[in-house]
Amino acid sequence: MSKKVNYKTLLPRMHYWHAVAFVLTALAASFFMGQTSHQLTLGHLAKDELMSQKSAVLVSGSHSVFDIQVSTIVIALMLLSTIVPGLYMTRLQKQYANGLKKKVMPWRWLDMAVTTAIMVVTIAILSGVQDIMTLKLIGGLMAITCLLGWLGEKAMTDGKKLVRPIFITSLITGALPWLLIAVSAVATPFYAAVRAPWYIYALYASSLGAFSLIALNQWRYYGKVRQWKDYMFVEWNHLLITDTAKLL
């Protein structure tokens, strides 16, 4: 007979070691990542001086707002990812225990909303998306997806009537940013006749794989499939999937 896993003991250890890994990754990024920067722009209408002989002819234009370094984003992501695990081990110990007991983890979804938005926005920038408002839209949709995950857990505690529509809506809001990224990813070899660096394709695979596993983990929890009846097992899976995706 197999011994039952004690997630109550393992979860704090996972928070500790993941926080250590995030700090070490931030340090490694500061030392080893290059200073590659990407220009972010704001779209607007502009007057075409050559065509505007008799009347003003407006064309689409863009204005450079600022440049951002990828290494800065990675370091910020890693440091932000240490905040919630650190709070779980200190000031939020009781809240974390109550969340596991009530099967609703608002702090987890808040952490995911912020860090997931940063992750996907970074991937969009690396894919060639430069417009600031488009990037804000991508980040906002990912944050809404995580908010819906929290609402889905609350719906599970109150009754299952709204779980399915909430879950389907979260799939839609989570897929839309990837649709925007996919357009840029396909346009790169189609129009520029070049391929993106290998690590961008690796980011696509690891991030999409992680988001798919998160959705599967949540759906099985909603359906109470086998081990997913244990909420601590669900929390363990969330931590393993999301933190691995961040580190990758």
Side-chain angles (χ1 to χ4, degrees), residues 210-223:
F211 295 142
S212 299
L213 289 174
I214 290 171
L216 180 62
N217 184 55
Q218 202 66 14
W219 181 247
R220 287 188 172 183
Y221 164 62
Y222 293 152

Side-chain angles (χ1 to χ4, degrees), residues 155-166:
M156 276 292 292
T157 61
D158 300 334
K160 294 186 177 182
K161 291 183 179 179
L162 295 175
V163 170
R164 186 180 292 272
I166 290 174

Side-chain angles (χ1 to χ4, degrees), residues 138 141-142 145 169-182:
I138 289 173
L141 284 169
M142 295 310 302
T145 301
T169 305
S170 70
L171 291 180
I172 296 171
T173 58
L176 286 175
W178 286 102
L179 179 61
L180 294 172
I181 293 172

Side-chain angles (χ1 to χ4, degrees), residues 3-18:
K3 187 178 179 180
K4 187 176 180 179
V5 179
N6 188 356
Y7 292 107
K8 189 175 182 180
T9 303
L10 291 176
L11 285 173
R13 294 179 185 175
M14 176 177 273
H15 286 306
Y16 173 79
W17 287 112
H18 283 191

Side-chain angles (χ1 to χ4, degrees), residues 79-138:
L79 294 179
L80 283 171
S81 298
T82 65
I83 293 176
V84 171
L87 290 173
Y88 281 162
M89 294 182 289
T90 54
R91 300 178 67 88
L92 295 180
Q93 283 185 342
K94 291 184 179 180
Q95 290 89 332
Y96 186 57
N98 288 334
L100 291 172
K101 184 178 180 180
K102 295 178 180 179
K103 300 181 180 181
V104 180
M105 296 296 296
W107 282 96
R108 180 229 288 155
W109 291 112
L110 176 61
D111 174 57
M112 286 180 62
V114 175
T115 56
T116 302
I118 294 174
M119 287 171 62
V120 179
V121 165
T122 305
I123 294 172
I125 292 173
L126 292 172
S127 300
V129 181
Q130 294 181 308
D131 183 71
I132 289 178
M133 300 313 297
T134 303
L135 293 172
K136 286 182 177 293
L137 176 62
I138 289 173

